[in-house]
């Protein structure tokens, strides 16, 4: 079995051919960029917007400021149906994570001291006021987990701490098995530091 540092799953809402969520993962030098984008609603319109936002992030050359990336997404894609966007940048040399989020994307740092990373209310490309951004130190073995609202928010308060001992793929399977919502698109990325 090959060990992977990260795992991604993106599932469409029942009876839809595409997901309105997009997950982005890129590595460059000592950094990893992760994002979950949840287009408003579900179906083709949400899919088209979240995919285009994901393409922009995949093409981005400057990851130093996740809040600036969200500002750029808002400028480029306004007016639109809007999307919840959470972007995390892990710097493996500085051992930090910087997270910026708008809307109902959840982000957690799981390790010795679990931490919820905060997003602010709003919708990128539709109605955005303030961007929540935070930088936190990382330790070896920490787990970064981002998910859309297709995963129940109770995950953070009710997950089994033993899952932190598992691989990224096993953690992802655990999250979907125990916390996914059937009535929405669902996406999640798990990254082990």
């Amino acid at each position: 079995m090959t060990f992977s540092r990260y795992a991604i799953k993106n599932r469409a809402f029942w009876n839809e051919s595409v997901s309105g969520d997009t997950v982005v993962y890129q590595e460059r030098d000592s950094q990893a960029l992760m994002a979950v984008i949840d287009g408003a609603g579900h179906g083709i319109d949400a899919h088209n917007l979240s995919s285009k936002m994901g393409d922009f992030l995949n093409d981005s050359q400057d990851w130093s400021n996740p809040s600036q990336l969200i500002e750029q997404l808002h400028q480029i894609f306004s007016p639109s149906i809007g999307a919840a966007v959470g972007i995390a940048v892990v710097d493996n040399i500085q051992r930090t994570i910087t997270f910026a989020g708008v809307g109902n994307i959840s982000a957690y740092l799981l390790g010795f001291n679990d931490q919820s990373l905060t997003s602010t209310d709003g919708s990128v490309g539709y109605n955005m006021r303030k961007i929540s951004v935070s930088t936190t130190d990382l330790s070896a073995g920490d787990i970064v987990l981002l998910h859309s609202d297709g995963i129940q928010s109770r995950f953070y308060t009710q997950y089994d701490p033993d899952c932190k001992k598992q691989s990224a793929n096993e953690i992802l399977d655990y999250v979907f098995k125990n916390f996914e919502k059937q009535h929405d698109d669902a996406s999640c990325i798990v990254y082990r530091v």
Side-chain angles (χ1 to χ4, degrees), residues 42-163:
H42 48 83
I44 196 69
D45 290 339
H47 171 77
N48 287 341
L49 178 62
S50 69
S51 294
K52 288 175 185 175
M53 287 181 169
D55 290 344
F56 173 83
L57 292 177
N58 278 320
D59 293 340
S60 176
Q61 297 301 308
D62 183 4
W63 301 348
S64 62
N65 189 340
S67 63
Q68 184 177 33
L69 290 172
I70 292 176
E71 284 282 355
Q72 291 171 337
L73 288 171
H74 185 67
Q75 291 171 3
I76 293 167
F77 294 101
S78 289
S80 68
I81 61 171
V85 178
I87 301 173
V89 176
V90 171
D91 186 319
N92 286 301
I93 291 179
Q94 298 297 318
R95 289 281 195 203
T96 59
I97 178 172
T98 301
F99 175 77
V102 173
N104 55 1
I105 301 299
S106 297
Y108 309 110
L109 179 60
L110 307 177
F112 184 73
N113 291 312
D114 293 352
Q115 183 176 349
S116 177
L117 308 172
T118 306
S119 292
T120 53
D121 292 337
S123 182
V124 179
Y126 179 72
N127 182 20
M128 186 179 79
R129 293 179 196 96
K130 183 180 176 188
I131 301 171
S132 174
V133 62
S134 61
T135 300
T136 304
D137 291 332
L138 295 170
S139 298
D142 280 350
I143 297 158
V144 177
L145 191 146
L146 279 71
H147 68 76
S148 69
D149 65 343
I151 302 296
Q152 298 170 24
S153 59
R154 67 182 177 85
F155 162 78
Y156 183 64
T157 58
Q158 297 183 7
Y159 81 92
D160 180 354
D162 285 340
C163 83

Side-chain angles (χ1 to χ4, degrees), residues 9-11 13 19-23 36-42 46 83-86 102-108 119 122 145-155 175-176 179-189:
K9 186 170 183 177
N10 185 0
R11 179 198 43 77
F13 176 63
S19 174
D21 293 358
T22 294
V23 181
V36 173
I37 304 163
D38 182 355
H42 48 83
V85 178
V102 173
N104 55 1
I105 301 299
S106 297
Y108 309 110
S119 292
L145 191 146
L146 279 71
H147 68 76
S148 69
D149 65 343
I151 302 296
Q152 298 170 24
S153 59
R154 67 182 177 85
F155 162 78
V175 168
F176 271 81
F179 299 100
E180 78 174 318
K181 296 177 185 175
Q182 295 299 316
H183 58 276
D184 199 355
D185 301 316
S187 60
C188 182
I189 181 167

